[in-house]
Amino acid sequence: FQYDCQHSASSANGCQHSNYGACLLAYTGLIGSPVTPNYVDNSTSSVAPWCSCAAAGNQREECGEFLSFFTHNTCLQETT
């Protein structure tokens, strides 16, 4: 997922590897795993795991980076 859905601000379509199909397939591979993404709210198609970084302690930065793969990922947003 992290490879196929890697976002890039310098890419015209938001995907570093320009392959929406691979990103979507990788995303669906997460379903049923411990990080199954879910819709964040009813008004958008934004998705993210059901977790927060509130209890991440000294790994808050790493947790934030992980969550950004879902919440601030233009490549993933283009596939959904």
Side-chain angles (χ1 to χ4, degrees):
F1 171 78
Q2 290 177 324
Y3 176 83
D4 290 323
C5 296
Q6 190 170 11
H7 58 97
S8 172
S10 62
S11 173
N13 64 6
C15 291
Q16 183 167 346
H17 304 289
S18 300
N19 190 340
Y20 293 131
C23 179
L24 186 58
L25 185 62
Y27 170 78
T28 59
L30 294 175
I31 297 171
S33 74
V35 292
T36 297
N38 292 290
Y39 288 102
V40 175
D41 58 45
N42 291 332
S43 63
T44 68
S45 61
S46 297
V47 293
W50 284 108
C51 63
S52 73
C53 296
N58 62 352
Q59 295 181 334
R60 186 176 298 261
E61 185 176 328
E62 292 171 356
C63 179
E65 288 176 19
F66 171 74
L67 287 179
S68 74
F69 270 103
F70 298 91
T71 57
H72 298 97
N73 187 331
T74 54
C75 182
L76 180 61
Q77 291 170 355
E78 290 296 323
T79 65
T80 58

